[in-house]
Amino acid sequence: MKTMKYKVLAADDEFWSRENIRNLIPWEEYSLEFLEPACDGEEVMERIEEEKPDIILTDINMPFLSGLELLERLQKEYPEIITVAISGYDDFDKVKGVFVSGGLDYLLKPVGKEEMVKVLTKALNLLEERENTKKQDETSRIREHKLSSFLEDSEYSALLSGKLYGQADAQTYVSSTNTFSEVATLMVKFYNIAEIAEKFEYDNLQMSWSIKSRLRELTGLEENVIIFNNSNKMSEFLLVKTADAKEFRTLAENILREFPLEEYGPISVVLHEQTSSLDDIGTIYRELISTLVTRPFNRHHCILSCQEEKRGESQRSSEIQMMGKSAPAHMETELYHLLATGQRSKTEKLIFKTCDFKDCDNGAWTYLDVKQYTGRLTGILYRYVQEKCPELTAQAEEAMDNIDYYMKCLNAPSLLASLKILLDSLWERGEDKDSDSGSGSIMQQVEQIHKYMERSYHENITLTALAEEYHMDASYLSRSFSQKYGETIIAFLTRIRMEKAAELMKDPDKKLETISFLVGYDDYNYFSRVFRKKMGCSPRDYRNNLAQL
């Protein structure tokens, strides 16, 4: 059934004239709803508010309220309604009066089908033009609002590091927007930000604005609330407002319901309920981050509170010793021995089964536990590589970067796979790799993966996801890709991203944080570190060098 887009209301004091107009054309074929005709001008005015016609066809000669009088009132009270006059007399003064009163056209009775279609086409074109203009104006308004919101994000984000970049008056602007001093703070951390960005076609302004709008709705649209997206870490949103502990806890629970796990991935909400001044936001942020690392290392929502971290240092210290999972002191000596003597199974058992590390996402490990354990482990392996097989140094560094990245995403399978690939490279060192060249079908799959990454570099691409998609073992896929293209999958992906970032930096209007997000990194500091490593200088220095050319 065709949707009726616009409504038409006809007015004539003669029954047969009204019926003639009703049956003149098949209105629904023109996406028009023909309303029950009115008997006079007064009836038209009474029905407008409820029925909201878009087009009014009115006879000129009617009792009580003539057609010209109706047109004059419509022009003053409802100028958006398109009006067409119909008369049985070709009277110049009346024709002139129609147009003076804002009428679109003047038709003579009896009105023919061709004439009616012609005037309706004119009316419909005008309505469509108005609608398009309205949409453009709305789009422009929203765009301006998003840009303003993004600039505000940048200013507030600068406060997190204790200093504000840019013009001095920006500090005045940030301070002047707030009429309160004692506030509590809440941070929302998304771990699937790349997948969320895909929903918005990687428009970071739209994504950020949308999430902030939803967070603001959850606060009841209170005026004294600051909500901003951390420009350096697009996955972090901070909310600052006056609230008591119970209210904040309820808000946190509502946030997790608003962004369900199956649609948005895991989220952490960290509460800092102790009130403070906005001037202390840098200190508050560091406390929020310190609390954030105590979340379970798994793919579930969680709520954390900084208040729970304010207990005695001795109690906290003893709990860390009891709960923390770290590599045992003897691991370095034992691991060196097993690697040197080629005891593969025992090496993997030592690494993956110590403290049950192979199941680090079972809820028993915190983010900090995983970070400390992998840090100690990769440190041992990196020293071994440098001493025993320095030709694998670049590969070891890449594996360490991958592990760090997957840890930030709470992606245990990819983290463990990256570690296993590094170990496999140690066992395969010195072997005849040409003997494992792979079948033609495998190489075709590798080519498909290569092409996919070239066009989808900005997406959240992981080795384990690729391996699962193409039904291959992650280590075997990594080895096959390296054999064909002379670099690992992650090295290739990183190179493509950095080359694209360098290209985007030619546009001086694009902020570096935006470029970081556009090439697949939600954490600008991490992007900057990778860029410096690959390009030899920081993103800011690279852009400055471009400006001097």
Side-chain angles (χ1 to χ4, degrees), residues 135-200:
K135 287 180 180 177
Q136 291 173 2
D137 290 344
E138 179 66 10
T139 299
S140 178
R141 186 189 67 79
I142 292 174
R143 178 71 178 175
E144 290 177 2
H145 187 78
K146 288 191 292 185
L147 285 171
S148 175
S149 177
F150 183 69
L151 292 174
E152 189 176 272
D153 286 344
S154 299
E155 292 173 357
Y156 281 121
S157 298
L159 294 176
L160 299 181
S161 60
K163 53 186 176 180
L164 189 69
Y165 302 102
Q167 301 299 321
D169 59 355
Q171 176 74 58
T172 304
Y173 168 74
V174 168
S175 299
S176 66
T177 59
N178 306 290
T179 58
F180 53 90
S181 56
E182 293 300 310
V183 293
T185 308
L186 174 153
M187 182 170 74
V188 184
K189 169 76 173 180
F190 293 87
Y191 295 90
N192 272 24
I193 198 68
E195 288 88 342
I196 296 170
E198 189 176 358
K199 302 176 192 290
F200 296 92

Side-chain angles (χ1 to χ4, degrees), residues 315-325:
Q315 179 185 355
R316 179 65 182 154
S317 176
S318 64
E319 287 179 355
I320 289 177
Q321 291 177 1
M322 288 168 42
M323 297 171 59
K325 298 176 184 293

Side-chain angles (χ1 to χ4, degrees), residues 497-519 521 524 527-528 530-532 535 537-548:
R497 286 174 166 174
M498 294 305 108
E499 289 173 356
K500 184 62 178 178
E503 183 181 333
L504 291 171
M505 286 179 195
K506 294 176 183 178
D507 183 353
D509 294 330
K510 274 192 169 59
K511 292 177 66 70
L512 294 174
E513 293 84 357
T514 300
I515 292 173
S516 165
F517 190 75
L518 289 175
V519 298
Y521 298 90
Y524 175 74
F527 162 76
S528 180
V530 175
F531 188 92
R532 182 188 293 275
M535 309 299 284
C537 64
S538 70
R540 202 169 302 280
D541 288 342
Y542 188 90
R543 167 167 275 177
N544 290 339
N545 292 336
L546 284 175
Q548 295 173 6

Side-chain angles (χ1 to χ4, degrees), residues 276-328:
S276 60
S277 167
L278 183 62
D279 295 335
D280 299 325
I281 190 67
T283 301
I284 298 300
Y285 177 69
R286 287 189 288 275
E287 292 180 9
L288 289 167
I289 293 298
S290 298
T291 302
L292 185 63
V293 300
T294 65
R295 73 151 286 154
F297 190 80
N298 57 29
R299 305 280 294 176
H300 297 292
H301 284 348
C302 78
I303 298 175
L304 305 167
S305 176
C306 291
Q307 295 302 96
E308 296 170 4
E309 301 296 308
K310 298 298 183 181
R311 294 171 290 185
E313 289 299 324
S314 60
Q315 179 185 355
R316 179 65 182 154
S317 176
S318 64
E319 287 179 355
I320 289 177
Q321 291 177 1
M322 288 168 42
M323 297 171 59
K325 298 176 184 293
S326 58

Side-chain angles (χ1 to χ4, degrees), residues 56 58 60 66-85 93-106 130:
I56 290 179
T58 180
I60 292 293
S66 72
L68 287 179
E69 291 172 331
L70 174 62
L71 291 177
E72 289 175 0
R73 285 192 58 180
L74 289 174
Q75 185 181 35
K76 292 177 182 178
E77 299 176 35
Y78 302 98
E80 71 281 3
I81 295 178
I82 294 177
T83 55
V84 176
D93 288 334
K94 290 183 178 179
V95 172
K96 180 180 177 182
V98 168
F99 291 110
V100 169
S101 301
L104 178 68
D105 213 330
Y106 183 93
R130 286 180 185 175

Side-chain angles (χ1 to χ4, degrees), residues 373-520:
Y373 185 89
T374 55
R376 176 78 186 282
L377 189 60
T378 53
I380 295 170
L381 290 173
Y382 187 67
R383 285 194 295 275
Y384 177 85
V385 166
Q386 287 185 307
E387 293 176 10
K388 303 296 183 181
C389 38
E391 70 277 10
L392 296 179
T393 297
Q395 193 165 339
E397 290 176 348
E398 180 186 319
M400 292 168 67
D401 283 342
N402 293 341
I403 289 169
D404 185 42
Y405 175 76
Y406 294 136
M407 191 159 49
K408 293 177 186 294
C409 303
L410 302 179
N411 191 333
S414 292
L415 184 156
L416 297 172
S418 296
L419 187 55
K420 190 173 185 305
I421 288 171
L422 175 58
L423 290 171
D424 288 344
S425 67
L426 297 178
W427 307 126
E428 293 160 8
R429 182 170 57 96
E431 294 180 2
D432 183 7
K433 295 183 180 179
D434 292 335
S435 63
D436 186 23
S437 57
S439 65
S441 61
I442 294 297
M443 288 300 116
Q444 287 179 353
Q445 287 181 307
V446 168
E447 288 177 4
Q448 291 175 14
I449 291 170
H450 187 273
K451 291 178 181 178
Y452 166 70
M453 289 195 295
E454 278 186 318
R455 66 175 182 271
S456 305
Y457 59 87
H458 53 283
E459 296 180 6
N460 183 30
I461 298 174
T462 67
L463 180 60
T464 50
L466 289 173
E468 184 177 343
E469 176 72 20
Y470 289 88
H471 308 290
M472 298 172 67
D473 175 74
S475 295
Y476 183 63
L477 170 58
S478 178
R479 185 167 63 251
S480 300
F481 191 96
S482 297
Q483 288 171 5
K484 183 169 181 61
Y485 293 106
E487 60 183 338
T488 66
I489 284 178
I490 301 302
F492 170 71
L493 179 61
T494 302
R495 178 170 60 81
I496 291 293
R497 286 174 166 174
M498 294 305 108
E499 289 173 356
K500 184 62 178 178
E503 183 181 333
L504 291 171
M505 286 179 195
K506 294 176 183 178
D507 183 353
D509 294 330
K510 274 192 169 59
K511 292 177 66 70
L512 294 174
E513 293 84 357
T514 300
I515 292 173
S516 165
F517 190 75
L518 289 175
V519 298

